[in-house]
Amino acid sequence: MKTVSILVPVYNVEKFIQRCVESIFGQTYEQLDIVFVDDCSPDNSIQVVRETLERYPNRKDQVRILKHEKNRGLAAARNTAVWEAKGDYLIHVDSDDYIDIDTISRCVDRIEECNGADVVVFGVNHVFTNKTVTPPLKIPGSKSEYVELLLSRKVRFNIWGCMFKTDLYKKFNISAIEGVNMGEDYSVMPRLMYYANKIVELPIPLYNYIHLNENSYTNGFSVSGVYSHMKIFPMLRDFFSEKQDDDYMTAIDCGESMFKSTALLKWALYDNEMEYLDLVNDHFRTTFDGVPLSRRIILRIAHNPSLLKAYCRSGFKLKQFLK
């Protein structure tokens, strides 16, 4: 039986982590290696983990709680967990999310059905206060096309919602950039998929991504997110320039414009300082190839703050009205 590592970074999630932990300890699959990385969480998150573990005595020998000596951020916590993983395969679960009880069993079954795989990509539920949205899952048959879609940010590039062969990380020395705590998945996922020999899909929503945590890295406009992506795009360009495939570079250009348009949109909605608008405009490239019309409009009016705010806010209000 294959051993599967479940990797959980922990920081300031006391209100959310119990459901996450219960979903992991309650897995129908037996052979687990469960790694929590305490990134010096200031609350009682780890105490919740320990108290919950008392109700699952069969899991006690499978659980390790590692602690950083100082707070190093999400990327470092993910890296620590990966290098400590002992399983043949691994999955990432953010500590404010949760997985279905048979997630690991279904993924391992899928691997065996396909006579082995490096990656299983499965479905995700996006859980909001009043609704749950399940986007369709479709993985292109061509690996190179999939990598291009990841780089252009046109498909989901989160590392949760996947089961990876552990050696993909360790053999090719794939890690997130420490200090890059927003968008770190985007820096990792295309490289993992580039090295994967066999990628299979499992079109069943098994991961539940929670949109209720106000402390989440992904809410609102974030200056740190902008600075993070200022490191990510050069790193991806360096990596893929060595592969001598112009399509990858074109996809990165598209991905950079997609990120830029998102940052501009969030700036317009949250009325941030002008210096942040200048930061986005000055440090990210603009291309229109492959970029959807609504985002091309945002990019074209990026240097007109009043028009940018009017366009983005009216579009947001219209979307809210039509819901």
Side-chain angles (χ1 to χ4, degrees):
M1 178 179 283
K2 294 178 177 64
T3 299
V4 178
S5 295
I6 303 179
L7 313 181
V8 188
V10 180
Y11 184 80
N12 203 24
V13 285
E14 180 180 354
K15 296 180 180 179
F16 304 93
I17 195 169
Q18 182 168 340
R19 179 168 53 181
C20 171
V21 172
E22 290 173 341
S23 76
I24 293 170
F25 293 164
Q27 286 295 302
T28 57
Y29 195 80
E30 289 299 323
Q31 196 65 29
L32 298 179
D33 166 49
I34 305 169
V35 182
F36 296 93
V37 178
D38 177 8
D39 195 32
C40 293
S41 184
D43 63 1
N44 293 316
S45 296
I46 294 300
Q47 182 178 338
V48 174
V49 174
R50 295 186 189 279
E51 290 175 353
T52 306
L53 181 57
E54 290 299 317
R55 296 191 276 111
Y56 296 86
N58 62 312
R59 295 298 187 194
K60 284 191 175 182
D61 291 339
Q62 300 177 342
V63 174
R64 288 176 288 152
I65 300 175
L66 311 177
K67 184 170 183 176
H68 284 164
E69 293 183 359
K70 62 179 181 179
N71 176 253
R72 293 167 55 192
L74 178 59
R78 289 208 200 281
N79 290 341
T80 296
V82 166
W83 300 121
E84 290 289 336
K86 297 177 180 178
D88 304 291
Y89 287 83
L90 63 82
I91 74 166
H92 298 271
V93 182
D94 283 353
S95 46
D96 47 359
D97 301 332
Y98 65 97
I99 54 177
D100 284 9
I101 197 169
D102 58 352
T103 298
I104 306 302
S105 294
R106 285 179 176 268
C107 288
V108 172
D109 287 347
R110 181 65 175 138
I111 290 169
E112 292 176 350
E113 288 171 6
C114 299
N115 296 315
D118 293 323
V119 185
V120 180
V121 184
F122 51 89
V124 173
N125 289 319
H126 290 261
V127 182
F128 298 88
T129 304
N130 300 316
K131 64 179 180 179
T132 298
V133 177
T134 308
L137 176 67
K138 183 62 178 177
I139 306 301
S142 163
K143 186 182 76 171
S144 60
E145 181 184 355
Y146 187 30
V147 173
E148 290 167 23
L149 289 172
L150 288 166
L151 290 170
S152 62
R153 302 172 77 97
K154 292 182 179 178
V155 294
R156 188 186 85 213
F157 51 79
N158 310 92
I159 56 173
W160 41 254
C162 300
M163 179 178 284
F164 301 97
K165 184 174 283 188
T166 304
D167 276 353
L168 266 184
Y169 278 95
K170 297 187 176 183
K171 180 179 178 180
F172 298 105
N173 196 29
I174 303 295
S175 61
I177 306 169
E178 186 160 345
V180 172
N181 299 314
M182 294 193 69
E184 78 286 349
D185 290 0
Y186 177 64
S187 74
V188 170
M189 188 74 157
R191 290 182 290 155
L192 287 172
M193 294 304 186
Y194 176 82
Y195 286 120
N197 289 319
K198 190 173 184 180
I199 304 165
V200 299
E201 64 180 30
L202 179 59
I204 302 171
L206 300 173
Y207 191 97
N208 298 281
Y209 177 66
I210 308 302
H211 291 260
L212 311 178
N213 183 2
E214 294 179 355
N215 294 320
S216 170
Y217 276 108
T218 56
N219 282 323
F221 180 88
S222 168
V223 179
S224 63
V226 172
Y227 281 116
S228 289
H229 282 79
M230 287 167 60
K231 297 178 181 178
I232 290 171
F233 288 111
M235 183 276 289
L236 288 175
R237 282 195 170 86
D238 287 344
F239 178 85
F240 283 99
S241 65
E242 298 175 356
K243 313 311 174 190
Q244 298 182 339
D245 188 329
D246 290 342
D247 289 339
Y248 290 142
M249 305 307 290
T250 300
I252 295 172
D253 288 342
C254 178
E256 187 163 357
S257 290
M258 293 285 280
F259 169 79
K260 182 176 182 178
S261 65
T262 299
L264 291 168
L265 172 63
K266 289 185 176 182
W267 180 88
L269 293 178
Y270 291 93
D271 194 20
N272 284 278
E273 301 293 333
M274 279 298 302
E275 62 182 292
Y276 300 150
L277 177 62
D278 293 339
L279 183 69
V280 174
N281 278 325
D282 292 345
H283 288 90
F284 296 98
R285 305 182 189 189
T286 297
T287 184
F288 299 107
D289 292 342
V291 178
L293 176 61
S294 60
R295 290 175 177 268
R296 293 203 304 269
I297 293 173
I298 291 174
L299 293 169
R300 288 191 180 279
I301 61 177
H303 293 277
N304 187 326
S306 298
L307 184 57
L308 180 63
K309 287 183 180 181
Y311 175 77
C312 293
R313 293 180 181 186
S314 61
F316 180 77
K317 289 179 180 178
L318 177 61
K319 184 178 291 187
Q320 293 296 108
F321 175 77
L322 293 175
K323 283 186 177 179

